[in-house]
Amino acid sequence: MPELAEVEVARQNLARWWQDKAATEVHILDARLLVATDPEALVETLQHPLTTMRRRGKYLIAEFTNDHAIVFHFRMTGKIVLSPIESARFARLAWHIPETGWLIFKDQRRFAHLQLFAPNTLKDYAPLAKMGPEPHDLTPEILGQRLAKPRLLKAALLDQATVAGIGNIAISEVFWRTKIAPDANTSDLTDAQIEALATDLPAYFDEVIEKSMADEIIYLEERSAENIFEVYARENDPCPRCTTPIVRTRIAARSTFYCPHCQAI
Ligand SMILES: [Zn+2]
């Protein structure tokens, strides 16, 4: 499942493949991908050159010379790949970029979506309007303010209004790095732990971006995926720090992996 790092890798790939170019051919293969979007208007916008490819949290935002924007949200299994159109499985949208090839929006589970925005309407899009700061913009003061309300820390961080882009994998990994108990409450955090989180969240994402950089990211749920994480999906493996077997549990309704020695509850 893509989190900030995987979406950032997609942003860099798409900028490289698509910047300043317009699609010459567009195929909408599954209209369920489109939310509140007229298919003809989508095709029309894709036929304009891309001016900017941005990321905000787990959303990608493509901006065009006609001042329209397309927001891509990958959810569980969505991804955009450069692929021959004939061989792309689970293709929902395909657009051809000259000198690049076919860009294919694939989505096996069909939770992903995209939405077209007319000029000056993107600012009212609720998921972006209420989104918290990017991890790279955090300071201990900002994070401390955002975690001021007593709440399960994991639930607070999964809430994109607290900090943008954090997902379930990042939480297991960063709690392990900072030795925070998996069921910690925001009110349990010391100043040193808040400082560690403000530093380790962006550092963690930088490392995952570097390790994941490829034309196509294989999400951990996919069969051919390699597990690049220290504790996530490593139940019973030795803790890389102290060799205690990693425990799997469920917190905030999501799988959680932790070291019972390093992260004493
Ligand atoms: Zn340990």
Side-chain angles (χ1 to χ4, degrees):
M1 190 186 304
E3 301 184 357
L4 183 154
E6 293 78 9
V7 180
E8 175 59 24
V9 171
R11 186 196 70 75
Q12 294 185 23
N13 283 337
L14 286 168
R16 195 171 76 245
W17 295 330
W18 191 4
Q19 184 68 43
D20 299 324
K21 294 178 181 174
T24 48
E25 206 177 326
V26 180
H27 295 289
I28 297 171
L29 304 164
D30 184 351
R32 284 172 295 185
L33 180 67
L34 281 52
V35 173
T37 295
D38 171 46
E40 282 180 28
L42 176 69
V43 172
E44 216 268 325
T45 286
L46 286 169
Q47 288 168 339
H48 286 77
L50 176 81
T51 55
T52 315
M53 180 59 69
R54 293 195 286 128
R55 180 191 57 73
R56 183 76 175 95
K58 303 176 195 173
Y59 291 77
L60 272 186
I61 304 154
E63 295 172 332
F64 299 86
T65 53
N66 65 349
D67 293 327
H68 282 58
I70 298 173
V71 173
F72 299 96
H73 194 203
F74 297 131
R75 305 288 298 278
M76 298 282 288
T77 55
K79 57 172 77 172
I80 299 172
V81 297
L82 182 61
S83 165
I85 193 166
E86 312 78 40
S87 59
R89 291 185 75 200
F90 311 118
R92 310 293 170 205
L93 176 72
W95 61 111
H96 188 262
I97 302 297
E99 294 155 17
T100 290
W102 284 98
L103 297 183
I104 314 277
F105 193 135
K106 293 165 49 168
D107 184 24
Q108 183 175 359
R109 302 275 302 269
R110 290 204 173 106
F111 290 111
H113 57 244
L114 70 76
Q115 187 165 349
L116 177 68
F117 289 86
N120 299 316
T121 58
L122 186 59
K123 62 184 186 328
D124 302 321
Y125 183 46
L128 296 182
K130 66 180 187 192
M131 196 176 283
E134 292 288 319
H136 292 82
D137 295 330
L138 288 177
T139 62
E141 293 71 32
I142 292 172
L143 185 60
Q145 286 160 10
R146 304 199 77 82
L147 298 175
K149 209 174 80 181
R151 191 176 175 191
L152 188 64
L153 178 62
K154 178 167 180 178
L157 291 175
L158 283 171
D159 181 351
Q160 300 296 294
T162 308
V163 179
I166 299 178
N168 196 43
I169 298 175
I171 289 173
S172 278
E173 292 292 297
V174 172
F175 281 24
W176 176 79
R177 286 178 182 223
T178 49
K179 301 186 183 176
I180 289 175
D183 65 344
N185 195 286
T186 53
S187 56
D188 302 332
L189 292 174
T190 63
D191 287 349
Q193 284 175 318
I194 289 178
E195 204 174 318
L197 278 176
T199 306
D200 281 347
L201 280 166
Y204 161 78
F205 284 121
D206 284 343
E207 285 173 32
V208 178
I209 289 167
E210 204 184 311
K211 284 183 193 166
S212 310
M213 196 54 75
D215 282 357
E216 178 175 354
I217 295 187
I218 309 298
Y219 300 145
L220 196 53
E221 296 81 1
E222 296 179 74
R223 243 180 312 173
S224 57
E226 176 200 354
N227 187 347
I228 60 170
F229 303 107
E230 306 276 15
V231 295
Y232 191 85
R234 292 198 182 278
E235 186 177 16
N236 293 325
D237 282 3
C239 167
R241 206 160 35 210
C242 75
T243 74
T244 303
I246 296 299
V247 171
R248 175 190 189 139
T249 184
R250 224 172 153 73
I251 294 172
R254 304 286 299 277
S255 284
T256 300
F257 297 84
Y258 70 101
C259 169
H261 176 73
C262 296
Q263 299 165 261
I265 291 185

